[in-house]
Amino acid sequence: MTDVLDELRWRGLIAQTTDIDALRKALEDGPITYYCGFDPTAPSLHHGHLVQLVLLRHLQLAGHRPIALVGGATGLIGDPRMSGERVLNDRATVAEWVERLRVQIERFLSFEGDNAALMVNNLDWHGGLSALDFLRDVGKHYRLGTMLAKDTVARRLASDEGISFTEFSYQILQGMDFLELHRRHGVTLQTGGNDQWGNLLSGVELARKSDGLALHALTTPLITKADGTKFGKSEGGAVWLAPDMMTPYAFYQFWLNAADEDVIGWLRTFTFRTREQIAELEAAVAERPAAREAQRALALDVTTLVHGEREAQQAIAASQALFGRGDLAELDDATLAAAVSGLPSVAARVGDAVVDVLAATDVFRGKSDARRAVAEGGVYVNNVKVTSDEALLSADDVLAGRFVLLRRGKKTLVVAELAD
């Protein structure tokens, strides 16, 4: 059995640790209890959180006990950003987002067995803490020099906007979480993204000064593309895990469109495929890049992990059906709407001549070009070849109550949207 830390390192899931040898021994002597925190500063988790969820799952599969903390208290404050103060969300909004995040996190962990996962909310202990107790029992263990040296704090202090005491205090709250979870549940390891290193060390130092403990911290690298650009739909864009913020189809397409230079690293980081399976896919990328076997495996695994097998299969079916390799009518309305949302569109009505609809798109240079394409057998309505230039759109052609898919050749797609 591969040592779990070696496995995590091979998968690109380790950036920094407090003491790798001490942590390795603790894991070997375990099981240990470990945690990661997720702040509800948005109504959904995203790709950066996905790295942490995968890490939590790997450690649980290795026999250790995970605790997922949703920050009902820290979410009211917000971790300081490089770019300026966050807008503070009201308590009702944060409480709603706490519940949304809990649902997203639950599918990644097992809540049964000897190492059953636990979900906690740090509002349970921060909510009743008085200012005097905070200053006397916690504040006395923090030195301003150390807090001011934190990279984000230092940059914000040097900016025109500066930093509020509210956001400056965030690192103390996160440090308190680590100590509190050790006292309540025996937590000895905190994980997080590499940009959280200073906050993780805050908890390690507080536990050492307050209770004489030697706790552990482990961070994961920030994920970027092979060309150095940010990971997301666009520069700085987020790949959301909530289906109402990024549809399962769009989510699947993001992973399916991974570059050859990125796909093997992402298979290691975001999936649970074995080394042997990933080696086979790496060979396929080198030998048969056009087949995109690795990308299809990545998209299937990650979409299944986040949204479930049914949604993953619907996304695959939609991808195939758009290009004539499946039945569009078998797709559910939501998946079809997501699949056509990124296509060029044209307004139409039942009874319109197909060539008139085609001529209104940018795909054809007028009605004569559309007629010529029909005569050559290169036009399809919902993947059915159009055989006459007098064909009309019928009510039977309408999908999901409002769409008709038009295709020229193998790859050029347009969606006709029917007016109400």
Side-chain angles (χ1 to χ4, degrees):
M1 179 68 180
T2 303
D3 177 275
V4 65
L5 286 181
D6 290 341
E7 180 71 10
L8 295 178
R9 190 178 297 282
W10 177 80
R11 290 184 177 275
L13 287 169
I14 296 180
Q16 298 186 78
T17 63
T18 42
D19 185 332
I20 191 70
D21 293 329
L23 177 57
R24 189 185 303 275
K25 185 177 187 307
L27 292 167
E28 290 173 351
D29 294 343
I32 69 165
T33 302
Y34 60 101
Y35 97 99
C36 182
F38 303 88
D39 274 347
T41 52
S44 174
L45 300 175
H46 56 65
H47 57 274
H49 303 112
L50 181 57
V51 179
Q52 301 310 313
L53 293 168
V54 169
L55 174 61
L56 292 182
R57 185 159 172 166
H58 274 295
L59 287 168
Q60 186 177 33
L61 290 173
H64 305 286
R65 184 191 184 207
I67 293 180
L69 181 152
V70 182
T74 43
L76 291 167
I77 303 302
D79 193 14
R81 300 177 301 179
M82 296 290 187
S83 56
E85 290 283 319
R86 293 179 182 270
V87 175
L88 296 180
N89 296 299
D90 61 68
R91 291 177 181 272
T93 298
V94 172
E96 177 188 345
W97 290 354
V98 164
E99 292 308 310
R100 284 177 60 98
L101 266 57
R102 285 173 64 95
V103 171
Q104 292 177 35
I105 293 168
E106 283 174 351
R107 71 178 305 117
F108 289 84
L109 302 171
S110 171
F111 292 82
E112 299 177 352
D114 293 338
N115 63 332
L118 180 66
M119 192 87 70
V120 298
N121 183 341
N122 60 13
L123 190 61
D124 291 344
W125 52 87
H126 289 309
L129 184 67
S130 72
L132 284 176
D133 288 339
F134 173 78
L135 293 172
R136 283 179 56 84
D137 298 337
V138 182
K140 67 182 179 181
H141 296 297
Y142 282 86
R143 294 295 175 265
L144 281 177
T146 302
M147 296 177 70
L148 291 169
K150 185 182 174 186
D151 188 41
T152 304
V153 173
R155 291 194 189 189
R156 287 280 297 279
L157 284 172
S159 70
D160 292 337
E161 186 174 2
I163 185 171
S164 69
F165 179 75
T166 299
E167 289 196 0
F168 179 64
S169 301
Y170 179 93
Q171 57 186 293
I172 301 180
L173 296 183
Q174 187 165 333
M176 291 172 64
D177 288 341
F178 200 173
L179 179 59
E180 187 68 25
L181 287 174
H182 174 81
R183 290 172 174 174
R184 292 185 178 213
H185 304 291
V187 170
T188 56
L189 168 66
Q190 181 183 180
T191 70
N194 209 32
D195 58 342
Q196 290 289 306
W197 180 242
N199 289 334
L200 270 63
L201 290 183
S202 172
V204 171
E205 285 299 300
L206 177 60
R208 181 182 64 82
K209 293 177 179 178
S210 175
D211 290 19
L213 302 169
L215 303 184
H216 306 284
L218 181 152
T219 62
T220 57
L222 301 182
I223 305 299
T224 59
K225 297 181 180 180
D227 62 7
T229 58
K230 292 181 180 179
F231 184 103
K233 291 188 294 182
S234 60
E235 186 77 11
V239 181
W240 298 107
L241 307 192
D244 59 343
M245 294 181 66
M246 186 176 192
T247 66
Y249 175 81
F251 187 84
Y252 177 87
Q253 289 295 317
F254 171 81
W255 300 99
L256 186 64
N257 290 323
D260 289 348
E261 296 79 11
D262 293 317
V263 66
I264 298 305
W266 292 359
L267 277 164
R268 290 177 179 175
T269 297
F270 291 104
T271 80
F272 293 82
R273 296 209 173 214
T274 65
R275 297 188 184 207
E276 293 74 20
Q277 290 171 326
I278 293 175
E280 291 176 3
L281 290 167
E282 187 170 16
V285 171
E287 298 165 8
R288 301 178 299 278
R292 300 186 69 77
E293 295 170 45
Q295 283 86 348
R296 286 188 283 110
L298 175 68
L300 171 63
D301 284 13
V302 182
T303 306
T304 301
L305 183 65
V306 173
H307 294 294
E309 184 175 359
R310 181 186 178 280
E311 294 291 354
Q313 292 302 325
Q314 277 281 306
I316 293 171
S319 296
Q320 294 173 340
L322 286 186
F323 297 97
R325 299 189 301 277
D327 187 352
L328 288 163
E330 292 183 356
L331 302 179
D332 62 52
D333 291 356
T335 300
L336 180 64
V340 302
S341 63
L343 298 177
S345 65
V346 61
R349 293 181 181 276
V350 170
D352 285 352
V354 172
V355 291
D356 288 341
V357 178
L358 295 173
T361 72
D362 294 334
V363 174
F364 295 89
R365 297 184 302 276
K367 194 177 295 187
S368 60
D369 187 27
R371 286 198 179 99
R372 189 179 309 111
V374 170
E376 293 171 352
V379 173
Y380 299 82
V381 171
N382 296 340
N383 295 328
V384 177
K385 184 180 291 186
V386 178
T387 57
S388 169
D389 60 10
E390 297 181 357
L392 306 177
L393 293 183
S394 73
D396 292 338
D397 294 325
V398 181
L399 303 170
R402 60 192 177 107
F403 301 120
V404 179
L405 188 69
L406 308 172
R407 175 160 54 90
R408 182 178 193 175
K410 293 182 178 181
K411 296 183 177 180
T412 305
L413 296 170
V414 177
V415 62
E417 293 198 44
L418 273 69
D420 295 333

